[in-house]
Amino acid sequence: MNILSWFFKPKKENNILSCYPDALLVVSASGELLYANENLLGILNISSDELFNLELLDIFDGGFNLVSNLVNSDDSAVVRSKVNQDIEVYLDIKASEYEDDEGKIIISIRDVTNNKKMLDKLMFEHEYVTKLNKNRSTFLTKVSNEITSPLHSINGFSEAILEGLGGDVNEKQQKYLKIINKNSVQLLELVGGILEYSKLESGIYDYEFKNFDFVTMMTNLFNKYKEIADSKKLILNFNLNSLTKRTLYSDEAVLKKILAILLDNAIERTESGSIQLAVSHPDATCLQAAGIDVTKGLPAQSYIMMQITDTSKGLPESELNNIFDPYANIDKYIAKKNVAKSLEMGIVYMLVRILKGRIHVQSEPMQGCIFTFIIPAEKINL
């Protein structure tokens, strides 16, 4: 008997492999069980004599065929123990050849029962949440149609009556119709905001990244808001001189939504002066300040920064705190009777996150506001 045969002899005598921290099973090239340490006996809750009366296929599914496949790879396999079927025991198995002339295989085994149960629980919860979100999406879509359709009708018919399409109305009726119209518009905005924020919060917001012409999008946006700014005698300026990329890889609709909300708010709170929208490529310092981890060797043009500056009275410090959290600011907006506005900054924040970007606001009383956000301009693995 050579020294290795003595080591692998199935007995309870002390040997080197018994000191190994994991459970160990040694088998011959034909699959015969040669050695098992005490850790394995403990995991399987079986005696040495009982174990050596079994074959590998009696211990776990796949048996020697599974072990042979694992020997030729660096992979491991999780299988259920077939010993003591009344108790669920899951084993993580790795196998490697023992470098000797007899072609023995050492099988390392770990009890991952708790990990497997936790994984199953997480998978169940993931499937449950996915199904819940899908149902929620369907619910929100149907509720949206059920609520917004009558609101559009109220808004449309009240405007039609005010324009005289239903006949003459007296001064008192006009007053009431204007109140109805104003409130229906506000309610429509609020319902739309709640539904949109709910979709974003639930992770069921539809978006799609693809290449699009950024300059054309900005030109159309400028033409639209130039008219609105002119109506308030404000100067609107878009500065794209520092931009070196015409095509962006992002979601055009999401980006337009972000800019629309920020421009609407800037024009609304600015009584005189101007609104400036500057687009540039941020340097590494700006990216780091925004909390963006820049990949080494990434070109400077990989990100774009958009900065919207207005000459309004600015925002007080109390409003800047948690400005992107609608729940924290709800009381302020209820007092102003403009709850819909409490959702807009929250929507902007989450839309910027969808585009894998960051947003920041600066403001001082009587010094205007500066909203800055940075997003990737091309496909980046973050």
Side-chain angles (χ1 to χ4, degrees):
M1 179 185 295
N2 62 34
I3 189 65
L4 285 177
S5 299
W6 184 84
F7 272 138
F8 294 135
K9 187 176 181 181
K11 57 186 179 179
K12 296 183 179 179
E13 295 175 13
N14 291 332
N15 63 56
I16 296 171
L17 295 180
S18 66
C19 301
Y20 197 76
D22 288 338
L24 282 182
L25 181 61
V26 180
V27 299
S28 68
S30 61
E32 178 188 0
L33 275 59
L34 299 176
Y35 170 83
N37 65 3
E38 291 294 330
N39 291 339
L40 179 62
L41 300 178
I43 289 174
L44 298 179
N45 193 22
I46 191 174
S47 69
S48 177
D49 291 338
E50 290 173 320
L51 178 65
F52 284 99
N53 285 326
L54 301 177
E55 296 182 1
L56 274 180
L57 197 57
D58 299 320
I59 301 174
F60 51 77
D61 287 329
F64 189 68
N65 287 336
L66 173 64
V67 170
S68 299
N69 291 332
L70 292 176
V71 167
N72 298 320
S73 71
D74 293 328
D75 297 331
S76 64
V78 175
V79 294
R80 181 173 175 173
S81 168
K82 296 173 73 174
V83 181
N84 297 327
Q85 290 284 352
D86 294 337
I87 304 173
E88 276 194 343
V89 177
Y90 289 93
L91 310 172
D92 181 62
I93 297 173
K94 295 190 75 171
S96 59
E97 290 182 345
Y98 194 93
E99 296 180 358
D100 70 347
D101 296 333
E102 300 180 27
K104 296 182 180 69
I105 298 173
I106 298 180
I107 307 169
S108 173
I109 301 173
R110 291 187 180 183
D111 183 355
V112 292
T113 305
N114 291 334
N115 293 348
K116 178 68 168 58
K117 289 180 178 178
M118 180 63 72
L119 181 61
D120 288 344
K121 183 181 178 183
L122 290 173
M123 288 299 296
F124 173 79
E125 290 176 354
H126 173 72
E127 290 173 4
Y128 174 77
V129 170
T130 301
K131 183 178 179 181
L132 183 64
N133 283 340
K134 184 178 179 181
N135 292 340
R136 185 180 295 176
S137 177
T138 303
F139 174 79
L140 287 172
T141 301
K142 291 182 178 180
V143 166
S144 173
N145 294 333
E146 291 297 319
I147 295 176
T148 57
S149 293
L151 286 174
H152 280 298
S153 296
I154 294 170
N155 187 30
F157 282 120
S158 61
E159 283 184 355
I161 295 172
L162 280 170
E163 292 173 1
L165 296 180
D168 294 335
V169 292
N170 59 41
E171 186 176 338
K172 195 171 187 179
Q173 289 172 328
Q174 270 196 345
K175 179 182 177 182
Y176 291 155
L177 283 167
K178 286 179 180 178
I179 293 172
I180 291 171
N181 184 259
K182 179 183 177 182
N183 287 340
S184 68
V185 170
Q186 289 180 344
L187 187 55
L188 194 60
E189 290 176 354
L190 176 58
V191 170
I194 290 173
L195 292 170
E196 188 164 20
Y197 191 80
S198 297
K199 286 184 177 181
L200 284 163
E201 203 172 36
S202 301
I204 54 177
Y205 196 88
D206 292 328
Y207 60 94
E208 181 184 4
F209 283 73
K210 59 183 180 181
N211 291 312
F212 65 93
D213 191 324
F214 176 69
V215 174
T216 298
M217 187 204 83
M218 293 297 285
T219 301
N220 294 334
L221 204 64
F222 176 80
N223 292 335
K224 174 185 175 181
Y225 281 94
K226 180 70 166 60
E227 294 182 13
I228 301 173
D230 286 346
S231 68
K232 288 190 68 173
K233 297 182 179 179
L234 299 173
I235 298 171
L236 180 67
N237 182 40
F238 281 21
N239 186 349
L240 278 66
N241 293 335
S242 300
L243 187 67
T244 62
K245 296 179 73 70
R246 184 183 182 98
T247 301
L248 262 61
Y249 181 82
S250 190
D251 186 298
E252 183 177 3
V254 170
L255 182 55
K256 277 171 42 175
K257 179 72 174 179
I258 294 168
L259 291 170
I261 292 176
L262 294 178
L263 287 169
D264 279 331
N265 277 275
I267 291 173
E268 183 179 328
R269 66 174 166 262
T270 304
E271 297 301 324
S272 62
S274 64
I275 291 94
Q276 309 283 335
L277 196 165
V279 181
S280 61
H281 295 289
D283 56 23
T285 303
C286 283
L287 292 172
Q288 289 174 358
I292 296 174
D293 184 18
V294 184
T295 305
K296 289 183 178 180
L298 210 60
Q301 295 80 15
S302 297
Y303 288 85
I304 59 168
M305 180 169 70
M306 302 189 199
Q307 197 166 68
I308 299 173
T309 306
D310 63 51
T311 57
S312 65
K313 294 179 181 179
L315 295 171
E317 188 175 347
S318 59
E319 287 191 24
L320 287 177
N321 295 331
N322 303 312
I323 190 171
F324 298 114
D325 183 357
Y327 302 124
N329 294 308
I330 188 64
D331 289 337
K332 299 172 187 176
Y333 286 97
I334 287 176
K336 295 178 180 180
K337 296 183 178 181
N338 199 351
V339 179
K341 287 293 180 185
S342 72
L343 296 167
E344 287 188 342
M345 288 299 107
I347 290 171
V348 163
Y349 178 84
M350 286 199 278
L351 289 177
V352 170
R353 287 285 178 168
I354 280 178
L355 299 187
K356 303 177 182 179
R358 300 290 186 272
I359 186 167
H360 175 67
V361 58
Q362 298 169 265
S363 182
E364 293 182 15
M366 309 309 295
Q367 297 296 318
C369 295
I370 304 174
F371 281 84
T372 306
F373 68 94
I374 299 172
I375 62 171
E378 58 189 44
K379 191 172 184 178
I380 296 173
N381 295 321
L382 298 176

